[in-house]
Amino acid sequence: MIPDIEHASQTEIKAFQVDKLKTLLEYLNTHSVFYKRLFRTHQIDIKNINTLEDLTAIPTTTKDDLQLYNDDFMCVPKNKIIDYVTTSGTLGEPVIFGLTDNDLERLAYNEAISFACAGIGTNDVIQLMTTIDRRFMAGLAYFLGARKLGAGIIRVGNGIPELQWDSILKFKPTYIIAVPSFLLKLIEYAKQHNIDPNTSGIKGAICIGEPLRHQDFSLNTLSEKIKQDWNIELFSTYASTEMNTAFTECSQQQGGHEHPELIITEILDDNNLPVSEGEAGELTITTLGLEGMPLLRFKTGDIVKAHNTPCNCGRNTTRLGPVIGRKKQMIKYKGTTIYPPAMHNVLNDFSEVDSYVIELSHNSIGTDEILIKIATAEPTDILLQNIKNHFRAKLRVLPKIEFCNKKDIQKLQFPKMSRKPVMVIDKRK
């Protein structure tokens, strides 16, 4: 189920996307209150946009725009909207997205070709370990995608290791979709109940929400810990509600593949200009084929690197490397620039760490401070010193670290209305 365009040359892919872009611009100029206003205000003649490079003539769109003018982005009347979803609201107020019947079909297509990219086929059964309710797009996408692909699906939902293992042993799924750190909890439960994960029939896991690899695509600490006890293939996937599209790894596991019929990607610097080849920048996306709420040059807030060399799987599409961090969560700490994922990787080295949250704040002189709150069954001075030494060695900085009660950490991680654990609490103004 690999679309022909993914095997086309870069020149053919660009030409294909330009045609799709022109259709989108006409659509926005007719149906979008926000973009009609944007074109008028900046005196943009959409007929002058004839290449992907011409996109730089159009101002970018940000999350602030979505939050301030949410209704102005809607391109269809209310009676055409079949499903409502919202963003997670990690960095502000959640944004409402309305999906038409065609948008739901597009969502299913996106996930079906993403599963196929990871090698899942019609003979496979997928166990879904994420929520499908709470206005969450991802869980719905997985269900619709598996259905379109023709694979079986077991909707267990998130958490509850006992129920997950009961379902694995009963229904014999071949793939699971889960947050990777939850796989460690499944391994722990299996050890306690004499279950051998390696005889369970699971071939691989589609992992969401947390990075699996370093920038050179080698396994990070979290992935290594999983594979020590459960020798399954781990596939990284990157997506967001705003994109309505996923970037999933193929068998080569060298970054998530772009689907050029669904999205145009740009990697931009602080001046909203394309970065040089191989440099990191902010992922900026233009969605193709959406009816309800398409976006043009939307800045995701995620810092990534693009890889444009042909992949050994045969695709010639752009691949995205692991997310380096969120632009708004960049920390300037004692002369060093760091992002939370780097701290996650350090903490994942310690099996004694049950859970944690990273709190960011400003001190009295307005510079960044980091406080890491850790829950552990062994809150010893030796463990604390080992963690501190590890931070110095890996990141060359030492944040403040304190041990806390596990229940207190859980309250911080799962505030009211949350759909996924909150690992970073940013109190900076």
Side-chain angles (χ1 to χ4, degrees):
M1 196 175 177
I2 303 169
D4 290 341
I5 191 62
E6 300 196 9
H7 289 292
S9 69
Q10 288 277 350
T11 303
E12 289 170 320
I13 289 172
K14 270 192 171 184
F16 171 87
Q17 288 197 312
V18 167
D19 284 342
K20 292 272 189 181
L21 174 61
K22 288 181 176 181
T23 302
L24 170 67
L25 291 170
E26 290 285 355
Y27 184 81
L28 293 174
N29 204 31
T30 305
H31 299 286
S32 171
V33 173
F34 179 85
Y35 286 111
K36 273 194 284 190
R37 186 169 63 231
L38 183 87
F39 297 154
R40 187 172 62 249
T41 302
H42 294 273
Q43 298 180 323
I44 292 164
D45 183 352
I46 60 171
K47 290 185 175 61
N48 292 332
I49 309 299
N50 296 305
T51 68
L52 297 186
E53 288 72 23
D54 291 341
L55 275 170
T56 54
I58 301 173
T60 56
T61 303
T62 67
K63 291 194 183 203
D64 291 342
D65 294 321
L66 293 184
Q67 288 160 348
L68 285 169
Y69 308 109
N70 202 163
D71 289 349
D72 289 354
F73 282 88
M74 293 288 187
C75 291
V76 295
K78 201 168 185 179
N79 64 359
K80 294 292 184 185
I81 295 173
I82 304 299
D83 191 81
Y84 289 90
V85 297
T86 54
T87 58
S88 59
T90 307
L91 297 177
E93 280 298 307
V95 174
I96 300 166
F97 278 77
L99 282 74
T100 67
D101 202 41
N102 285 336
D103 292 343
L104 288 172
E105 178 59 28
R106 179 189 178 281
L107 192 65
Y109 169 80
N110 154 74
E111 209 56 59
I113 60 175
S114 296
F115 286 151
C117 191
I120 301 175
T122 55
N123 293 323
D124 288 303
V125 177
I126 307 166
Q127 184 155 318
L128 179 53
M129 298 183 180
T130 65
T131 184
I132 196 170
D133 55 7
R134 299 190 189 182
R135 311 190 304 246
F136 189 43
M137 179 183 278
L140 176 65
Y142 302 138
F143 174 75
L144 294 175
R147 189 166 178 263
K148 188 166 187 67
L149 182 64
I153 195 158
I154 307 159
R155 293 178 292 108
V156 182
N158 58 351
I160 322 175
E162 182 180 3
L163 181 58
Q164 302 292 355
W165 275 115
D166 179 68
S167 299
I168 290 170
L169 299 174
K170 267 195 180 106
F171 303 112
K172 306 294 182 190
T174 47
Y175 286 87
I176 54 182
I177 301 173
V179 175
S181 55
F182 182 64
L183 299 182
L184 294 177
K185 290 185 168 60
L186 289 181
I187 291 168
E188 184 184 350
Y189 182 92
K191 285 178 179 177
Q192 292 169 352
H193 294 83
N194 297 315
I195 299 168
D196 182 359
N198 292 305
T199 60
S200 64
I202 300 293
K203 294 189 287 188
I206 308 295
C207 294
I208 64 169
E210 295 169 344
L212 295 174
R213 306 186 197 286
H214 298 296
Q215 290 303 310
D216 64 357
F217 300 116
S218 60
L219 292 176
N220 65 13
T221 305
L222 178 58
S223 300
E224 286 177 343
K225 287 172 81 170
I226 293 166
K227 287 182 75 74
Q228 273 174 11
D229 293 297
W230 202 351
N231 189 27
I232 54 176
E233 289 297 320
L234 301 174
F235 295 93
S236 183
T237 185
Y238 166 71
S240 71
T241 303
E242 294 91 344
M243 293 194 295
N244 281 246
T245 316
F247 295 77
T248 303
E249 287 183 330
C250 66
S251 58
Q252 301 300 307
Q253 298 176 338
Q254 296 289 299
H257 279 278
E258 176 186 316
H259 300 310
E261 68 272 47
L262 300 180
I263 199 164
I264 295 169
T265 55
E266 301 173 80
I267 312 295
L268 302 182
D269 62 19
D270 289 341
N271 297 313
N272 292 333
L273 295 172
V275 299
S276 300
E277 184 75 23
E279 284 188 10
E282 184 171 3
L283 176 65
T284 301
I285 56 97
T286 295
T287 53
L288 302 172
L290 273 175
E291 288 181 336
M293 201 166 147
L295 297 176
L296 177 64
R297 300 201 81 210
F298 172 72
K299 297 173 75 174
T300 63
D302 290 327
I303 305 299
V304 299
K305 287 182 183 178
H307 300 264
N308 293 307
T309 53
C311 183
N312 288 335
C313 73
R315 291 174 178 84
N316 292 318
T317 52
T318 295
R319 289 166 286 120
L320 296 184
V323 174
I324 297 166
R326 285 192 161 173
K327 192 169 184 179
K328 282 191 175 179
Q329 290 180 344
M330 184 181 78
I331 308 153
K332 289 278 191 181
Y333 190 67
K334 297 181 179 177
T336 301
T337 298
I338 53 176
Y339 290 94
M343 291 186 276
H344 298 328
N345 208 39
V346 171
L347 292 163
N348 285 333
D349 264 338
F350 293 89
S351 56
E352 302 95 330
V353 174
D354 293 326
S355 55
Y356 62 87
V357 291
I358 298 168
E359 287 191 354
L360 309 177
S361 61
H362 280 148
N363 58 26
S364 58
I365 58 171
T367 57
D368 291 345
E369 288 289 347
I370 307 169
L371 171 61
I372 301 176
K373 296 182 175 181
I374 293 173
T376 175
E378 307 167 32
T380 63
D381 289 340
I382 293 172
L383 175 62
L384 182 61
Q385 194 57 50
N386 285 342
I387 295 172
K388 286 181 176 180
N389 291 343
H390 210 50
F391 266 98
R392 286 194 192 97
K394 294 280 187 178
L395 301 182
R396 301 188 303 281
V397 294
L398 177 59
K400 293 177 184 173
I401 300 169
E402 66 180 37
F403 291 133
C404 297
N405 183 283
K406 190 172 183 178
K407 286 184 179 177
D408 293 336
I409 298 290
Q410 285 176 332
K411 282 180 186 175
L412 292 170
Q413 280 189 338
F414 293 95
K416 209 171 181 182
M417 302 286 287
S418 71
R419 298 186 304 216
K420 54 188 178 183
V422 175
M423 307 302 289
V424 181
I425 299 170
D426 197 342
K427 297 178 176 179
R428 297 174 297 179
K429 293 178 183 176

